[in-house]
Amino acid sequence: KAGVTQTPRYLIKTRGQQVTLSCSPISGHRSVSWYQQTPGQGLQFLFEYFSETQRNKGNFPGRFSGRQFSNSRSEMNVSTLELGDSALYLCASSSGTSGGARTGELFFGEGSRLTVL
Amino acid sequence: GQQLNQSPQSMFIQEGEDVSMNCTSSSIFNTWLWYKQDPGEGPVLLIALYKAGELTSNGRLTAQFGITRKDSFLNISASIPSDVGIYFCAGQNYGGSQGNLIFGKGTKLSVKP
């Protein structure tokens, strides 16, 4: 079974630009979530999508947005990049449904490392 | 918001030694999970715990869900070089959405051969 695939793996942007990251979940997984990982803050939850609907959102500004397509693939977008947005962005999928006990069992991709100059 | 206190932050041990790390919270969780992250990769689920007092093993790894629901422990026996990495605990509350998953800051494990 293919794992979670994230593209691109690495990218460099400048302040003010915008970026789109892509995630393909494990086949059959309908829940996709995004996390930002930095040395100082650790793993911070961005948002979760289930069946094309945003089910949950973390405490990030509106510059961070996402969407999910009918095939469960997901994208996240960051507009007006700031230096502090430099991080590893991780996508995770799970087979758990809302209210189910196994929704915390996440399968992570390798991440997209974003550097903002 | 909720936070998990994970300790120690880092450990340097000799190959063959046992390792213990823990996670505490001021709030109750109904699920505790432990993940490991290797350099350049995403975290991988090691153990999931669903019942207070539960003790679960995965090879040389053993994790426990604290009776108070506010803590969890991970032990690694007879460490080997490939145990190197960052170990994260995560707690989840009722509601069952991934948005309720809170991660600790991680324990960085280094193993000397």
Side-chain angles (χ1 to χ4, degrees), chain A residues 12-24:
Chain A
I12 300 173
K13 294 283 187 177
T14 55
R15 276 182 300 174
Q17 285 187 311
Q18 67 116 25
V19 66
T20 299
L21 308 177
S22 180
C23 172
S24 292

Side-chain angles (χ1 to χ4, degrees), chain B residues 39-89:
Chain B
E41 304 202 0
V44 173
L45 179 65
L46 299 173
I47 294 178
L49 302 156
Y50 294 101
K51 210 190 284 189
E54 180 182 355
L55 187 73
T56 298
S57 293
N58 178 6
R60 294 177 297 104
L61 277 60
T62 301
Q64 183 160 28
F65 191 142
I67 286 289
T68 65
R69 296 181 178 267
K70 293 182 178 181
D71 56 9
S72 180
F73 304 86
L74 177 70
N75 295 317
I76 305 173
S77 63
S79 57
I80 58 178
S82 62
D83 290 334
V84 164
I86 303 176
Y87 292 79
F88 293 98
C89 62

Side-chain angles (χ1 to χ4, degrees), chain A residues 37 43, chain B residues 6-11 13 19-23 33-38 43-47 58 60-62 74-77 79-90 103-111:
Chain A
Q37 186 176 30
L43 282 156
Chain B
Q6 186 171 350
S7 64
Q9 281 189 328
S10 61
M11 304 180 75
I13 62 167
V19 172
S20 288
M21 59 190 78
N22 70 82
C23 222
L33 308 108
W34 286 91
Y35 286 84
K36 182 196 176 198
Q37 185 173 27
D38 291 330
V44 173
L45 179 65
L46 299 173
I47 294 178
N58 178 6
R60 294 177 297 104
L61 277 60
T62 301
L74 177 70
N75 295 317
I76 305 173
S77 63
S79 57
I80 58 178
S82 62
D83 290 334
V84 164
I86 303 176
Y87 292 79
F88 293 98
C89 62
F103 281 88
K105 292 273 177 83
T107 295
K108 187 175 182 180
L109 178 63
S110 301
V111 179

